Amino acid sequence: MSDQIIVTVSGVDKVGIVAGVTAVLAQYEVNIEDIKQTLMQGHFVMFMLCDIEKSKFSFKEIKEALVSKGHDMGMEIWVQKKEIFDNMHKI
C-alpha cells in the first residue's frame, strides 16, 4: 500500500497560499515529493505529490488539517490517496 497522497489546492490567487499549505504539511511531518502550480486568469491551482510514510499522523488527520486550512484561506483543498487518484484516472 502506498503512503503517497495527492493534494490539490484551488482558488483565487493571493499572497501566502503556498506558505500556508506547506506549513501544515511540515507540521504534520509530510514530505513534498513533487509540486506543480499554475495561475490561469487570476485562478491559482496547485498539485502536490506527498509522502506520509514518516508522519506520526493518520491520513484522516492530515486531510482534515489541510481542508481546514483551505477553509481558513478561502481556498478549496482536496486530499486523496495516490492509489485511489490513479485508479480514478485510468481509462
Side-chain angles (χ1 to χ4, degrees), residues 1-2 6 34 40 42 51 68 80:
M1 185 165 159
S2 173
I6 303 289
D34 197 3
M40 296 172 26
D51 189 331
S68 177
Q80 298 172 287

Side-chain angles (χ1 to χ4, degrees), residues 5-27:
I5 62 172
I6 303 289
V7 178
T8 306
V9 182
S10 176
V12 176
D13 188 38
K14 58 186 144 198
V15 173
I17 298 169
V18 175
V21 174
T22 57
V24 172
L25 293 171
Q27 178 184 353

Side-chain angles (χ1 to χ4, degrees), residues 27-30 52-59 61-62:
Q27 178 184 353
Y28 281 78
E29 303 168 5
V30 175
I52 62 172
E53 179 183 8
K54 295 180 180 169
S55 176
K56 65 183 173 218
F57 299 92
S58 70
F59 169 77
E61 290 171 312
I62 294 165

Side-chain angles (χ1 to χ4, degrees), residues 62-74:
I62 294 165
K63 180 177 180 174
E64 288 174 353
L66 287 165
V67 170
S68 177
K69 182 63 174 182
H71 179 74
D72 293 347
M73 296 188 313

Side-chain angles (χ1 to χ4, degrees), residues 16 19 32 71 83:
I32 300 169
H71 179 74
E83 60 196 359

